[in-house]
Amino acid sequence: MASRPVRRGTLASIAADLGVSRTTVSNAYNHPDQLSPELREKILAAAAARGYSGPDPMARSMRTRRVGSFGVILTERLSFAFEDLASIDFLAGLGDSSYAKNNTMTLVPVGPLDDEATQLISQAVVDGFVVYSVAANDPHLDAARSRGLPIVIVDQPYEINDLPFVGIDDFSAIQPAARLLVEQGHRRIGILAKRTHRGQFDGHITLAEVETADLHVQRQRILGAMDVFEQSGLTDIPIVTRHFNDHPSAIDAAKELLEAHPDLTAVLCTTDSMAFGVLDYCFAHNIDVPGDLSVTGFDGVELAHLRGLTTVNQPNRRKGATVGKILDALVNARVEDKEPDNPAPHVVIPTTLSSGQTVAAPRAAERLS
């Protein structure tokens, strides 16, 4: 005769079987430091024998008003989070934060043109949102606001004063790179930038179009560089942009800029990934860097330093850790029905220039022309 299956245990039945309280059983899973190792092992063994895997996380979240996860809204394809080196550094810093160590991270890829994806935000089961670099008029930011959960903005939009912000001063940050090119004697300089507008556009862009761009980061980096160039009497600066910040787009952008303007002696890039495109294009076409062409980047990712790129270093890991700390405080205040000590901090992290080996003075004939 077949034996009857063991009835699946519950928190209450395990507690009754062992003659302990339900809180004690719960502590074996959620607060093991409050039990002796022997008692915890006894509880876990009894639970395993009855097929009980621990307290229901959904019930716990209803009781504590905490889901145990935070959402990172990316207005990019999901692969961007694993391919863009600056974003990888940021997410690593966020993962290192004390908040992330005790919670899960939910990536919410909504795509730069995918207005319908706001449904993903409305359905995300999270305690709060990290909004990673969106336009001021982006509907995904509005969708996050409508949830009534804590929000921290990273990089952009810069001008919103009622939400916490963590980023850099992009206008000033790029100026040492631009100034270095001018000081080295370059007069024919081009700019490569990633996306400036929510709507997709690839190609040459005018300064007037840059000034109306709705993406703060790239707008400010270009304008910061142009401020330096204009003070040096340089106004005819070609600017090429690409909507996506991947390597094929960067190489294609370098091709467009350098083939349309073969007289350039330097290219200032607003991301390291764009600079890598220039370096690889130059290598494929026997253009010596920095002998024939000087190149600067922006981000200071590890690969940039390995390749000797002259670049602006922004501490992306520190940025991520700072975001995690702020979000933790906001979530805790919400759970405890308290007003946060600083509901909308505005944190601007300093940057530095790494000189690298990709900038040199142009040849004498080019410098004098």
Side-chain angles (χ1 to χ4, degrees):
M1 182 177 180
S3 60
R4 298 177 62 185
V6 177
R7 186 176 179 182
R8 190 175 184 83
T10 64
L11 186 146
S13 68
I14 301 299
D17 289 346
L18 297 178
V20 298
S21 69
R22 286 184 290 182
T23 298
T24 299
V25 175
S26 177
N27 284 343
Y29 295 89
N30 298 321
H31 302 286
D33 57 303
Q34 297 186 14
L35 305 178
S36 68
E38 296 79 13
L39 178 56
R40 182 170 187 262
E41 286 301 319
K42 181 179 179 180
I43 293 171
L44 294 179
R50 296 289 297 273
Y52 177 71
S53 59
D56 182 358
M58 290 301 294
R60 180 177 180 273
S61 68
M62 292 178 65
R63 183 173 64 255
T64 62
R65 300 178 62 195
R66 184 189 291 269
V67 174
S69 183
F70 60 96
V72 181
I73 298 176
L74 299 167
T75 54
E76 300 281 355
R77 296 163 293 191
L78 183 58
S79 60
F80 180 85
F82 306 99
E83 296 171 351
D84 180 74
L85 297 178
S87 298
I88 290 172
D89 284 348
F90 168 77
L91 291 173
L94 184 57
D96 285 342
S97 70
S98 58
Y99 182 59
K101 288 179 180 178
N102 297 306
N103 295 276
T104 61
M105 184 188 305
T106 301
L107 297 180
V108 187
V110 293
L113 301 176
D114 191 1
D115 293 350
E116 297 299 323
T118 54
Q119 186 175 359
L120 286 176
I121 298 172
S122 65
Q123 295 176 346
V125 183
V126 296
D127 294 313
F129 288 105
V130 175
V131 179
Y132 189 61
S133 195
V134 305
N137 58 351
D138 197 296
H140 305 110
L141 175 57
D142 293 335
R145 277 182 176 275
S146 70
R147 292 290 303 275
L149 298 173
I151 294 173
V152 180
I153 292 175
V154 182
D155 289 340
Q156 60 187 342
Y158 186 86
E159 302 88 352
I160 294 179
N161 296 318
D162 64 326
L163 292 176
F165 170 88
V166 178
I168 64 173
D169 182 347
D170 291 280
F171 185 93
S172 298
I174 203 166
Q175 292 192 323
R179 198 170 293 117
L180 176 63
L181 294 177
V182 172
E183 290 171 350
Q184 286 292 316
H186 290 279
R187 308 295 293 175
R188 295 193 291 273
I189 304 169
I191 295 176
L192 280 190
K194 65 172 285 191
R195 180 185 318 136
T196 55
H197 294 75
R198 285 194 67 233
Q200 183 163 353
F201 177 81
D202 296 310
H204 281 73
I205 187 171
T206 67
L207 185 58
E209 290 170 321
V210 171
E211 291 171 342
T212 62
D214 48 20
L215 287 169
H216 159 87
V217 168
Q218 295 299 305
R219 182 183 76 229
Q220 293 301 99
R221 289 182 192 175
I222 295 171
L223 294 179
M226 288 300 300
D227 182 61
V228 172
F229 297 150
E230 289 172 354
Q231 289 182 31
S232 302
L234 308 179
T235 56
D236 188 19
I237 305 291
I239 306 167
V240 169
T241 183
R242 284 295 183 272
H243 193 70
F244 292 108
N245 197 33
D246 55 29
H247 196 56
S249 296
I251 293 178
D252 189 57
K255 178 178 184 292
E256 178 178 351
L257 177 67
L258 294 174
E259 290 187 358
H261 307 278
D263 62 329
L264 295 181
T265 64
V267 177
L268 178 142
C269 300
T270 63
T271 67
D272 283 346
S273 54
M274 281 290 176
F276 297 150
V278 178
L279 295 180
D280 290 347
Y281 176 86
C282 288
F283 179 79
H285 291 80
N286 297 314
I287 300 172
D288 181 65
V289 176
D292 298 322
L293 187 76
S294 289
V295 182
T296 67
F298 193 110
D299 279 326
V301 299
E302 183 179 2
L303 182 59
H305 297 297
L306 291 174
R307 296 188 66 171
L309 178 66
T310 299
T311 187
V312 175
N313 301 307
Q314 61 164 324
N316 285 301
R317 291 185 74 105
R318 177 181 167 189
K319 189 189 297 182
T322 302
V323 169
K325 181 178 179 180
I326 293 172
L327 189 59
D328 188 28
L330 295 176
V331 170
N332 286 337
R334 181 176 182 273
V335 169
E336 297 169 6
D337 286 324
K338 296 180 179 178
E339 284 294 324
D341 294 335
N342 189 356
H346 197 90
V347 180
V348 178
I349 299 176
T351 59
T352 59
L353 178 68
S354 177
S355 57
Q357 294 96 44
T358 58
V359 172
R363 294 187 178 93
E366 295 168 337
R367 187 167 57 248
L368 295 173
S369 60

